[in-house]
Amino acid sequence: MDRIPVAGPWITQKEIDYVVDAASHAWYENANMYHERFEKAFSHYIGTKYAMALPSCTSAIHLSLLALGIEKGDEVIVPDLTWIATAAPITYVSATPVFADCDGKTWCISSDAFQECITPGTKAVIPVDLYGNMPEMDAIRDIAHDHGIAIIEDAAEAIGSEYHGKRSGSFGNTGVFSFHGSKTMTTGEGGMLVTDRKDLYDRCLTLRDHGRAHGEKMFWNAEVGYKYKMSSMQAALGLAQLERIDELVERKRQIFSWYRQNLQSVEGITLNCEPFGTKNSYWMVTAIFDPKFRLSKEDIIRMLKEKGIDSRPFFYPLSSQPAYDSLASVREAKVRNTVSYRISPYGVNLPCGMKMTYEYVNYVCDAVKKVVGVE
Ligand SMILES: Cc1ncc(COP(=O)(O)O)c(C=O)c1O
């Protein structure tokens, strides 16, 4: 490797064989054979009744909001620290995102912050299982239940994570996953929506097929919908990856354990945590650097780059982004969300692609220590 990449998949002959088979045979009456196998295996793995393969996690969030009837005038609470894909579909349905602060340990939405953001207009919350960690799901579910607020669990980054023995993605009215090439399991681009509710599942089936209800005659559309489908080749790749999911998640946990061994004794560097009762699948190994080092995340990324190491900045608070400048509530969020604004400037995602080795991790850790001047 010329450079150490920050993320990347682990593809074996099994994946190649499945994709070749799909390209050769998944046509005509077999056009859906890989979708059916992938969705069935996925819902079984997550522990939900239904799973729907989609072109992206973003489309899964979009469909979830539509199926839940979220519309103009409604508010949807999301964590301030997440990728914009969590929040963008709220704008697609003309509703308003409200950015809640994060918990200082898990970096996921804090249940207190969620509660604080609730107004009579709140219709849904999208907790994010950030970098593979899990928010306080019991508290979030209780609060949401008490206020009649729907939950869309954004598990894009957290396949294989668990909270008190229950798999990520199974905590909301819907759960959504991403299979982007950087994720623990990939279909190149792709996503999945899971749910236990037949009404939501049926509604999503209609919406993602240009408004044609499942079983309706061909080319007969009751409403204007969307074209959100995954190809057979992607479904085949996803099935092969899913059949290796334990191995993939274990590899992520192993890579993280190498980082922890090496960096845990360095004062001023905080790595991802794994709270009691949570299994963290550690999608992104992330370090928060103490401001005492007087280095911003951009400084650290630049200095690692000079050593052939790619890394990424911790997400910028959504309330700080030009995309949301015109939103009235961001002025308040900027002041209120102190944890998000404290963590984000000093957080860096370190290389943790599936091909990382013990030697590469140690090379990165040595470079990190040199950068902050502790070795
Ligand atoms: C937290 C989160 N939500 C949603 C998404 C969107 O996923 P996709 O790129 O599959 O639409 C991502 C992707 O990186 C993500 O990290």
Side-chain angles (χ1 to χ4, degrees):
M1 272 196 274
D2 285 347
R3 309 190 54 74
I4 300 184
V6 71
W10 181 9
I11 302 297
T12 64
Q13 192 58 43
K14 181 186 184 83
E15 282 81 347
I16 296 165
D17 290 345
Y18 278 32
V19 173
V20 168
D21 186 57
S24 311
H25 301 112
W27 307 105
Y28 307 104
E29 73 275 15
N30 293 324
N32 286 321
M33 69 179 183
Y34 273 105
H35 298 89
E36 282 164 14
R37 287 175 65 191
F38 185 31
E39 288 169 347
K40 192 162 173 229
F42 200 87
S43 60
H44 180 74
Y45 177 74
I46 301 301
T48 52
K49 283 193 187 142
Y50 307 100
M52 189 181 301
L54 295 165
S56 65
C57 179
T58 307
S59 55
I61 298 171
H62 189 194
L63 288 184
S64 299
L65 291 165
L66 290 165
L68 287 163
I70 310 295
E71 58 186 12
K72 194 174 166 72
D74 295 339
E75 290 174 11
V76 180
I77 298 173
V78 292
D80 212 349
L81 290 182
T82 182
W83 174 226
I84 196 169
T86 305
I90 301 168
T91 305
Y92 303 169
V93 301
S94 305
T96 306
V98 175
F99 303 119
D101 205 3
C102 296
D103 175 83
K105 284 210 168 68
T106 63
W107 311 329
C108 298
I109 190 169
S110 122
S111 54
D112 290 342
F114 163 40
Q115 175 115 43
E116 249 182 74
C117 289
I118 294 171
T119 73
T122 308
K123 291 287 160 26
V125 60
I126 313 183
V128 178
D129 307 334
L130 201 77
Y131 302 143
N133 213 340
M134 298 291 294
E136 309 152 288
M137 278 299 184
D138 286 341
I140 289 170
R141 292 219 295 184
D142 287 348
I143 296 165
H145 181 261
D146 289 349
H147 291 81
I149 294 170
I151 300 177
I152 299 167
E153 183 188 353
D154 183 346
E157 305 179 352
I159 188 146
S161 296
E162 292 173 21
Y163 180 81
H164 295 285
K166 206 168 139 57
R167 289 241 156 90
S168 64
S170 64
F171 289 88
N173 299 80
T174 67
V176 296
F177 292 86
S178 171
F179 307 132
H180 177 260
S182 64
K183 297 297 192 288
T184 302
M185 67 161 271
T186 187
T187 59
E189 293 282 357
M192 191 75 83
L193 183 153
V194 296
T195 184
D196 278 330
R197 279 183 45 184
K198 181 150 186 356
D199 60 329
L200 295 179
Y201 177 70
D202 286 344
R203 184 78 189 116
C204 290
L205 280 180
T206 301
L207 286 166
R208 71 93 170 252
D209 193 16
H210 278 307
R212 181 175 79 121
H214 193 56
E216 181 54 274
K217 64 184 172 188
M218 210 176 214
F219 305 134
W220 193 254
N221 310 83
E223 61 188 302
V224 176
Y226 301 84
K227 170 69 190 292
Y228 282 160
K229 288 195 173 175
M230 180 183 264
S231 76
S232 292
M233 278 72 79
Q234 289 171 300
L237 181 51
L239 178 65
Q241 289 260 280
L242 187 62
E243 288 178 356
R244 295 180 51 234
I245 192 66
D246 292 343
E247 180 180 32
L248 299 180
V249 172
E250 218 22 69
R251 171 63 65 91
K252 278 288 187 190
R253 287 179 61 80
Q254 182 172 52
I255 293 167
F256 179 78
S257 76
W258 293 331
Y259 274 104
R260 186 175 46 210
Q261 258 171 35
N262 201 313
L263 294 178
Q264 70 182 354
S265 57
V266 180
E267 218 168 292
I269 296 182
T270 307
L271 298 176
N272 318 51
C273 76
E274 187 174 55
F276 175 75
T278 291
K279 178 179 175 186
N280 190 335
S281 58
Y282 297 116
W283 171 59
M284 268 286 159
V285 175
T286 300
I288 311 292
F289 294 87
D290 194 297
K292 75 178 179 186
F293 296 124
R294 298 185 178 281
L295 293 166
S296 68
K297 59 185 172 187
E298 288 86 1
D299 293 330
I300 293 168
I301 290 165
R302 185 178 33 78
M303 290 157 92
L304 290 176
K305 197 169 182 152
E306 284 162 11
K307 297 178 189 303
I309 298 166
D310 287 340
S311 56
R312 284 185 185 175
F314 202 114
F315 294 123
Y316 296 88
L318 290 176
S319 62
S320 71
Q321 305 245 10
Y324 292 110
D325 266 355
S326 61
L327 209 63
S329 68
V330 298
R331 274 189 293 282
E332 202 185 316
K334 280 179 187 173
V335 179
R336 185 189 57 224
N337 296 346
T338 52
V339 178
S340 304
Y341 279 81
R342 177 163 52 77
I343 291 172
S344 170
Y346 303 105
V348 177
N349 303 139
L350 298 173
C352 51
M354 302 300 284
K355 295 281 179 71
M356 279 301 273
T357 62
Y358 182 67
E359 289 70 30
Y360 281 131
V361 170
N362 285 338
Y363 175 77
V364 174
C365 291
D366 287 348
V368 164
K369 287 190 254 186
K370 282 201 188 87
V371 162
V372 297
V374 296
E375 218 178 55

